[in-house]
Amino acid sequence: MSDPHPVSEPPTLDVRGLTVGFDTDRGLLRAVDDVSFVLPRGGTLGLVGESGSGKSVTSLSLLNLLPSPQGRILAGSIRLQGRELVGLPEREWQKIRGARIATIFQEPMTSLNPVYSVGAQIVEAIRLHRDVSRREARARAIELLRWVGIPDPTSRIEAYPHQLSGGMRQRVMIAMALSCEPEVLIADEPTTALDVTIQAQILELLWSMQQRFAMSVLLITHDLGVVAHHVQRVAVMYAGRIVEEAPVEELFRLPLHPYSRGLLRSIPPMGTSLQGKRRRRLPTIEGAVPSLLDLPPGCRFGPRCELHQPRCSAEEPSLREIVPGRLVRCHFAEEWAS
Amino acid sequence: MSEPVEPLLQAFHVSRYFQVGAGLFSAKKILRAVDDVSLQVMRGETLGLVGESGCGKSTLGRVVLRLLEPTGGRIAFEGQDLTLLSSSELRPLRRRMQIIFQDPYSSLNPRMSIRDIVGEGLLIHGMVKSRKELDERVAALLAKVGLRPEHRERYPHEFSGGQRQRIGIARALAVEPSFLVCDEPTSALDVSIQAQIVNLLLDLQETLGLSYLLISHDLKIVEFMSHRVAVMYLGKIVETGPTPQVFSRRAHPYTRALFSALPVPDPTRRTLRVLVEGDPPSPFDPPKGCAYHPRCPRAQPGRCDVEAPHPTEVEPRSGHFVACYFPEELVILRVATWVLPHQAAARSSILPNPNR
Ligand SMILES: Nc1ncnc2c1ncn2[C@@H]1O[C@H](COP(=O)(O)OP(=O)(O)OP(=O)(O)O)[C@@H](O)[C@H]1O
Ligand SMILES: Nc1ncnc2c1ncn2[C@@H]1O[C@H](COP(=O)(O)OP(=O)(O)OP(=O)(O)O)[C@@H](O)[C@H]1O
Ligand code: SF4
Ligand code: SF4
Ligand SMILES: [Mg+2]
Ligand SMILES: [Mg+2]
């Protein structure tokens, strides 16, 4: 496959063959299985997929934050500007985490400390990586809170996490993640608790940060409206694996994997309300996700796939390039593409 | 089921203030999270509640269940005044009023197994007779929300964000409530599982006549599920009415701005956006007159900044109310194809292919 950019500049983040396991009392659970992607400098990759498919576990491994001892990277490589991160000692990770790779966690309450004011936490985050006075850090924190649309930031900086609304906590997390101008931002459902107006404002803010200092973003989201407008490439995950990766217009125009197709079909249409239309239901993908401890033979989507053929349960399809720039993990993708 | 008629839950002039501050740099202040709100939810009806982040939706949701004490106002559930009941008198009503919390993780006890979390209410209210029955009930509830029976033995930290959210839904449904506050019930779910949960809630409503107060930022879900909708801004309801009317007319200037930022799941189309201008106001010191006036493009000095507008009916007998002196006209909202310059640029710089 030809690389449009010559060898000189490695991508900001290069993840290959990432495999993550959890020890459970029923055996080893592979939550992420052979996942590869790149984040070019200043670029955005969207990561979508089934709830429980391994998106957050992927993001935790990029920060060396897997719960230990039960969770660990079993295989694969994570390179930041060409430098291998897998296997680095915790002391080295502390210099990277927050400063070079920052994250907005899916559940703000799990990462905000309930006993400190949000201001103290942002100040702490800034001073951990930057040599600035407490006073300067506080001024910076107020500015960041204003950027993310928190009203009256000068008094809100004193608030404790429980005194803020769900969306405000999420925005505090965003402010904290951006405070050190990281090279890579991992945003795990960054706007789920926000109304569409503030969501638009936050996404514009991320965009301007990308422009200003070429930040690369991994945007994990269930909101396909956000995906459609804010990312360039999308990877779709199912049961621990990437099943499709494509430029965003291509994926929306013609999803090639049957799971991606089912997902796009489940988007509720606009302009449909209950009145006079009793018994209306939204389309879903039939069946349930397989247990990661008891995967079906062959294709992991097989038991739910409308297009299932005998070959599908005999052999797992590989992820391969079907048309230039489009990777699909389905035996018959070539046929759908033509 | 016939059309919903009987009010199951009514809130009259309900308020909830918080005292905050007295920190190192500030004195004590009063925050009016919910300010003089009245609403009703009929039997078998869904009332959607939308509004800016931080406007008081979750607070209102908890106040109507008396999980938070109201600062003022009255709440009637099945004709009983909740605000007059003692906590022991409230207990038998608790089973019938449940909530799906916005933040799934902090609402699940990390030391309890999923069986205990989902089954706790069944045991407390004596709804199961044996361990075996409890196990079966919990397994059936988990299946309904797309989880598996063996998940019973596991603990909250072993689940993904969306799986935890579904545990919260199973717990709320376990005790067979008649009224359910759903606070962002599907925000962590992919569209397919979201559809499954939405269908489940609609099924329960049709077969058992459940009523929902549905709080969500997802306007498509609100439109799909709600019979009526209320739009909140800075602690007050500014527009309310039957969903199709509110969604098509968008009579309050804030409603219009809120709806116009909705991203369409189609990368080749953009809708014209009316961004809400200006900073959101401080809830400690709300603007005088109409709280929206500093950001409102229709505001008229001398009127809007003097006295707060009262809700008035948009059309006679429409049941559609708006609190605004100069409501928006009815227009056919045209979907414009509009690409921001930076988005056009973004689109042309497709990322290089990963070299595999
Ligand atoms: N500590 C843990 N122990 C065991 N299994 C775990 C643990 N953490 C996560 N898992 C499992 O790993 C899988 C992937 O979880 P992950 O949180 O990455 O999903 P996700 O794609 O982010 O889903 P969602 O969209 O619901 O947030 C899930 O099936 C989950 O049950
Ligand atoms: N315990 C508390 N102490 C002080 N202030 C609080 C408390 N709980 C909520 N508030 C404040 O009340 C206001 C309304 O919060 P609420 O959580 O009801 O908002 P919301 O509409 O649910 O927002 P979101 O959409 O972001 O979840 C916010 O300004 C919040 O900071
Ligand atoms: S490989 Fe077979 S089962 Fe799997 S997605 Fe393709 S058609 Fe469906
Ligand atoms: S009352 Fe005036 S300021 Fe308030 S929304 Fe209406 S026009 Fe705008
Ligand atoms: Mg997740
Ligand atoms: Mg809330």
Side-chain angles (χ1 to χ4, degrees), chain A residues 1 107 195 229 249 279, chain B residues 53 164 190 206 269 347 354:
Chain A
M1 187 166 94
E107 285 164 347
D195 58 274
H229 296 291
E249 300 86 345
R279 295 230 55 91
Chain B
S53 167
R164 286 172 193 157
D190 63 84
E206 273 172 23
R269 251 184 48 193
R347 205 126 338 120

Side-chain angles (χ1 to χ4, degrees), chain A residues 70-83:
Chain A
Q70 51 312 4
R72 59 183 190 280
I73 294 182
L74 301 172
S77 121
I78 302 168
R79 290 218 171 90
L80 178 65
Q81 313 280 18
R83 179 184 176 209

Side-chain angles (χ1 to χ4, degrees), chain B residues 22 58 82 94 121 133 140 175 200 230 251 304 342 345:
Chain B
S58 299
L82 293 186
R94 282 264 169 254
E133 196 186 344
V175 291
L200 172 65
C304 300
H342 72 247

Side-chain angles (χ1 to χ4, degrees), chain A residues 247-319:
Chain A
V248 68
E249 300 86 345
E250 293 294 300
L251 183 78
F252 277 79
R253 187 181 58 80
L254 181 68
L256 290 179
H257 194 281
Y259 172 69
S260 318
R261 228 172 304 166
L263 198 62
L264 291 175
R265 248 203 324 253
S266 307
I267 299 176
M270 270 304 270
T272 42
S273 61
L274 271 183
Q275 255 69 7
K277 297 184 199 127
R278 284 299 145 108
R279 295 230 55 91
R280 265 202 73 116
R281 293 297 180 266
L282 292 172
T284 61
I285 302 172
E286 287 297 311
V289 225
S291 159
L292 291 170
L293 289 164
D294 185 19
L295 287 166
C299 176
R300 293 183 181 186
F301 189 58
R304 301 171 75 184
C305 184
E306 305 167 340
L307 304 158
H308 183 276
Q309 312 261 323
R311 182 177 168 201
C312 302
S313 27
E315 183 189 344
E316 188 178 5
S318 61
L319 183 68

Side-chain angles (χ1 to χ4, degrees), chain A residues 1-5 15-16 24 26 29 35-40 43-45 49-53 56 70 106-110 138 146 149-152 155-156 158 163 165-169 171 189 192-201 204 207 222-226 228-230 232-233 245 247-249 252 259 262-264 266-275 278-285 287-291 293-294 304 319 321 324-327, chain B residues 1-4 19-21 23-26 29 31 44 46 51-55 58 102-106 146 148 150 154 157-158 160-164 166 184 187-196 198-200 202-203 205-207 217-221 223-228 242-244 247 250 254 257-270 273-276 279-284 340 342-343 345-347 349-356:
Chain A
M1 187 166 94
S2 70
D3 190 343
H5 289 267
V15 176
R16 276 170 209 237
T24 72
R26 299 181 57 230
L29 178 151
V35 161
S36 304
F37 57 86
V38 294
L39 285 185
T44 308
L45 176 73
E50 183 100 21
S51 167
S53 61
S56 298
Q70 51 312 4
Q106 187 171 12
E107 285 164 347
M109 275 316 256
T110 57
R138 187 167 185 275
R146 183 167 294 124
I150 302 268
D152 201 355
S155 26
R156 281 316 176 107
E158 311 286 344
Q163 296 179 320
S165 79
M168 289 168 159
R169 289 196 285 256
R171 284 177 279 161
E189 302 284 356
T192 41
L194 303 178
D195 58 274
V196 285
T197 329
I198 292 178
Q199 176 182 71
Q201 186 188 335
E204 303 268 314
W207 170 259
H222 289 305
D223 189 329
L224 297 169
V226 168
H229 296 291
H230 294 276
Q232 295 130 31
R233 278 185 80 83
E245 191 192 318
V248 68
E249 300 86 345
F252 277 79
Y259 172 69
L263 198 62
L264 291 175
S266 307
I267 299 176
M270 270 304 270
T272 42
S273 61
L274 271 183
Q275 255 69 7
R278 284 299 145 108
R279 295 230 55 91
R280 265 202 73 116
R281 293 297 180 266
L282 292 172
T284 61
I285 302 172
V289 225
S291 159
L293 289 164
D294 185 19
R304 301 171 75 184
L319 183 68
E321 193 165 27
R326 298 200 67 172
L327 300 149
Chain B
M1 261 194 61
S2 59
E3 281 301 305
Q19 228 184 37
V20 292
L24 227 46
F25 301 89
S26 55
K29 289 178 175 175
L31 187 154
T46 303
E52 189 165 44
S53 167
C55 71
S58 299
Q102 180 174 14
D103 189 337
Y105 194 61
S106 49
R148 323 167 66 80
E150 70 261 23
R154 291 165 61 181
H157 72 269
E158 295 175 63
S160 79
Q163 291 168 335
R164 286 172 193 157
R166 286 177 275 158
E184 301 287 351
S187 61
L189 304 178
D190 63 84
V191 282
S192 165
I193 293 182
Q194 167 179 289
Q196 190 183 330
V198 167
N199 293 347
L200 172 65
L202 292 177
D203 285 342
Q205 185 163 62
E206 273 172 23
T207 52
H217 289 304
D218 189 330
L219 298 173
K220 291 200 296 288
I221 292 300
E223 183 176 26
F224 192 77
M225 285 187 66
S226 311
H227 301 88
R228 286 185 308 121
T243 307
F247 271 65
R250 310 174 187 185
Y254 174 67
L258 177 69
F259 281 50
S260 67
L262 186 64
V264 189
D266 176 350
T268 62
R269 251 184 48 193
R270 291 226 103 210
R273 289 202 331 218
V274 187
L275 277 185
V276 187
D279 284 338
S282 166
F284 300 111
L340 290 174
H342 72 247
Q343 251 119 10
R347 205 126 338 120
S349 65
I350 297 299
L351 306 192
N353 297 324
N355 196 1
R356 269 164 240 261

Side-chain angles (χ1 to χ4, degrees), chain B residues 137-176:
Chain B
R137 288 282 281 274
V138 171
L141 283 156
L142 291 179
K144 278 195 175 140
V145 296
L147 296 171
R148 323 167 66 80
E150 70 261 23
H151 285 146
R152 279 177 307 205
E153 325 300 333
R154 291 165 61 181
Y155 289 83
H157 72 269
E158 295 175 63
F159 290 90
S160 79
Q163 291 168 335
R164 286 172 193 157
Q165 191 165 45
R166 286 177 275 158
I167 294 165
I169 296 173
R171 171 180 60 187
L173 293 176
V175 291
E176 297 168 4

